Amino acid sequence: MMGRKNLFKVGILKKYDIKKGLDENQKKSVALSIFLDVSHAFESLQSNWLFRKTTNSGYSAEDLVSNLVGFYRAVHPDKQYISICEPVSKSIALEIWDKYGEVGFNKNYSTVPYIYPIPPSKNGPMSVPLPKELNTIKPAKQGLIFKEVG
């Protein structure tokens, strides 16, 4: 959901049929697939021409990547995913912001993160693979074990 309190709210609602009796790995795979499907639908909604007039946040550089980190943190709360991602200091983050602009100006339509050169350079951000710890669950393909309905 997004919107203003007591004024205007919109969101994404989807329904899925999921086969009973899945093993733990299949459940995680289906959950990730549904999570990514809804994430893309929500980012597409934010990218709609109506919302672009007030916000530029649809598919911001960090959106899908941070969603994925959040998913892994929920599935495996014992792992330190934030430190695995090697966050930079606030001063470096502000330097990157000043050089490359708001993250909303750097659109990213995938879960492949952008890495910004430190110190900032004219080359701009680069796509790099996720840490291996954020690639342990593969999204299931819709079909036999789950599918969107309605």
Side-chain angles (χ1 to χ4, degrees):
M1 296 292 294
M2 68 177 176
R4 302 239 188 257
K5 189 176 180 180
N6 300 327
L7 284 178
F8 177 71
K9 291 189 184 223
V10 295
I12 299 297
L13 176 64
K14 291 185 167 224
K15 294 181 182 182
Y16 300 86
D17 275 343
I18 302 169
K19 183 178 177 182
K20 288 183 181 182
L22 301 180
D23 67 33
E24 193 68 23
N25 288 333
Q26 288 174 314
K27 289 177 184 177
K28 290 176 184 178
S29 182
V30 168
L32 178 57
S33 186
I34 291 171
F35 185 81
L36 291 173
D37 185 48
V38 172
S39 292
H40 277 286
F42 186 78
E43 294 304 324
S44 293
L45 176 66
Q46 283 187 314
S47 296
N48 180 295
W49 66 270
L50 179 64
F51 299 110
R52 279 195 316 259
K53 290 180 177 259
T54 58
T55 180
N56 191 24
S57 69
Y59 287 105
S60 292
E62 83 295 349
D63 281 340
L64 295 176
V65 177
S66 65
N67 289 357
L68 184 65
V69 171
F71 176 85
Y72 271 87
R73 289 179 75 192
V75 172
H76 299 291
D78 55 314
K79 294 197 179 175
Q80 301 300 314
Y81 291 106
I82 301 298
S83 60
I84 290 169
C85 293
E86 300 178 23
V88 298
S89 68
K90 182 178 178 180
S91 63
I92 291 174
L94 291 172
E95 192 177 335
I96 290 169
W97 181 282
D98 290 342
K99 172 69 177 179
Y100 301 107
E102 300 173 26
V103 289
F105 291 126
N106 299 302
K107 301 300 182 189
N108 185 359
Y109 299 91
S110 76
T111 56
V112 177
Y114 290 162
I115 299 296
Y116 295 83
I118 302 168
S121 71
K122 61 182 170 191
N123 294 335
M126 305 169 290
S127 293
V128 297
L130 287 162
K132 67 181 183 305
E133 295 87 351
L134 292 167
N135 257 327
T136 60
I137 303 170
K138 301 297 178 208
K141 300 221 182 291
Q142 287 196 45
L144 295 176
I145 62 173
F146 91 104
K147 63 183 175 186
E148 185 177 353
V149 295

